[in-house]
Amino acid sequence: MSTAEISGEDFQVRFWGVRGSVAAPGPSTARYGGNTSSIEVRCGARLILLDGGTGMRYLGNRLVAEAPLDADILFTHTHFDHVCGLPFFKPFFQPQNQFRLWAGHLGAGMTMHRVLHELMMAPLFPVPPGVFRAKIAYRDFKAGDALTLASGIAVRTAVLNHPDGATGYRIEFGGKSVCYVTDTEHVPGNLDRNVLALIAGADIVIYDCMYTDEEYAKSFVGWGHSTWQEGVRLCQAAGAKKLVVFHHDPDHDDDRLDAIGREVEAVMPGAVMARDGMVLKF
Ligand SMILES: [Zn+2]
Ligand SMILES: [Zn+2]
């Protein structure tokens, strides 16, 4: 996809990182990709980025040619796998660009500005955010708030169930909707009301499908993640149209994800497994 193909009122989603928790590059994950969470959303001429994992570096390398950029970056939360691409995002080094960084999960004196400064601090990182030349504004809000990014783009948010908090998003544009719901843990047998309300009738739901139900019950209760089966249950209960299986376990190699994909397809035709480079258009 070249940016020249995007025009008018197009609404599309491109995946640059689909892996959960830690990057997992290598031959066994090459087909689905090993980059952590990074998604590009185009609402007509408006650019919205979701999270800043390692995939964001590749996205940034593509975006430098589009400067001047004016974009919003929505963070589910600031666990390392969702922010570690930020220092390597080349458009931050271009003075003609401006970005707004949105986060709804912080509190108790913590801000998105402070998170970025602590991420890029000795002895963890060689240079501070002062090396950036773009104009960066910080938009801390409370998960559950509605956000105004631009006219014609409605963004709703919801509290997710994750250690240190996380925010789910629903972006509506041109009568279509995409929801981004990661990282979140479900309570078995009890569909999350916040998630159900957020994704009701949505066209696309990108959901934290880190585990299978079996893996979750056996080893991962309390780790803050969900399962593809719960994603199916939520989408079916909420009347959502397409599930995108996302935030893959770094220990799930390509063959394993192929097998999971077949299981998902059998119970929810049209669902897709997220992979680096995948583009969904409305
Ligand atoms: Zn994560
Ligand atoms: Zn997390």
Side-chain angles (χ1 to χ4, degrees), residues 61-146:
N61 291 351
R62 172 74 74 88
L63 288 175
V64 287
E66 283 187 50
L69 293 160
D70 180 353
D72 295 281
I73 309 177
L74 310 181
F75 291 90
T76 55
H77 64 313
T78 45
H79 281 161
F80 195 64
D81 55 316
H82 296 253
V83 297
C84 61
L86 286 169
F88 308 98
F89 185 60
K90 286 199 176 79
F92 282 169
F93 295 85
Q94 295 177 293
Q96 63 271 52
N97 296 338
Q98 54 181 319
F99 296 94
R100 289 161 298 279
L101 275 54
W102 301 79
H105 66 295
L106 300 168
M110 182 55 77
T111 63
M112 192 61 212
H113 178 268
R114 195 170 147 199
V115 168
L116 188 61
H117 281 254
E118 295 196 359
L119 176 72
M120 298 175 70
M121 180 185 279
L124 297 174
F125 204 78
V127 293
V131 297
F132 295 147
R133 288 291 167 259
K135 183 172 171 225
I136 298 176
Y138 298 88
R139 297 276 189 273
D140 292 280
F141 65 95
K142 200 163 175 298
D145 291 351

Side-chain angles (χ1 to χ4, degrees), residues 19-22 36-37 51 76-77 79-82 162 182-183 208 210 225 246-247:
R19 193 64 59 170
S21 298
V22 69
T36 66
S37 302
D51 281 333
T76 55
H77 64 313
H79 281 161
F80 195 64
D81 55 316
H82 296 253
H162 195 62
T182 197
D183 300 16
D208 179 347
M210 182 109 161
H225 296 288
F246 182 78
H247 205 273

